[in-house]
């Protein structure tokens, strides 16, 4: 299950990042953004949202439709993003 969750999270993250980049790069300007930071912030908003807002965030982030699959995907992504041998990664997000 963890591998499937990791794959779903990676696929969703990549699709979101490429779509966002495509929209901004089409303007012919340099683009720099952190998909991981944007996804983390939107994920926190999604967890507190309901109804149409929650569904729009799910669609924007290209998340799995199944709520349990979404939670598993986020958990797998969070777990993997902190597990690089020899490295310590700390992050903070505040809304």
């Amino acid at each position: 299950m963890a591998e499937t969750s990791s794959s779903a999270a990676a696929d969703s993250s990549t699709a979101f990042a490429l779509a966002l980049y495509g929209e901004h790069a089409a303007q012919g300007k340099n683009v720099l953004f952190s998909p991981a930071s944007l996804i983390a912030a939107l994920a926190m908003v999604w967890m507190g949202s309901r109804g149409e807002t929650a569904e729009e965030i799910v669609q924007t982030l290209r998340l799995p439709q199944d709520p349990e699959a979404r939670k598993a995907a986020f958990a797998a992504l969070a777990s993997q993003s902190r597990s690089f041998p020899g490295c310590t990664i700390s992050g903070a997000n505040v809304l």
Side-chain angles (χ1 to χ4, degrees):
M1 176 86 172
E3 183 60 37
T4 302
S5 298
S6 298
S7 296
D11 291 347
S12 295
S13 298
T14 300
F16 169 72
L18 291 174
L20 185 61
Y21 174 78
E23 283 194 34
H24 290 281
Q27 297 174 9
K29 297 179 181 178
N30 292 334
V31 179
L32 177 67
F33 64 94
S34 169
S37 294
L38 294 171
I39 291 166
L42 287 171
M44 287 188 279
V45 172
W46 166 71
M47 290 178 144
S49 65
R50 300 288 178 264
E52 187 177 340
T53 301
E55 284 308 309
E56 287 179 357
I57 294 171
V58 166
Q59 290 174 5
T60 298
L61 294 178
R62 279 91 171 145
L63 297 173
Q65 291 300 309
D66 176 45
E68 291 305 314
R70 284 182 225 147
K71 290 178 186 176
F74 277 125
L77 191 61
S79 174
Q80 286 184 341
S81 68
R82 289 186 230 111
S83 61
F84 293 100
C87 297
T88 301
I89 299 174
S90 298
N93 288 299
V94 178
L95 293 177

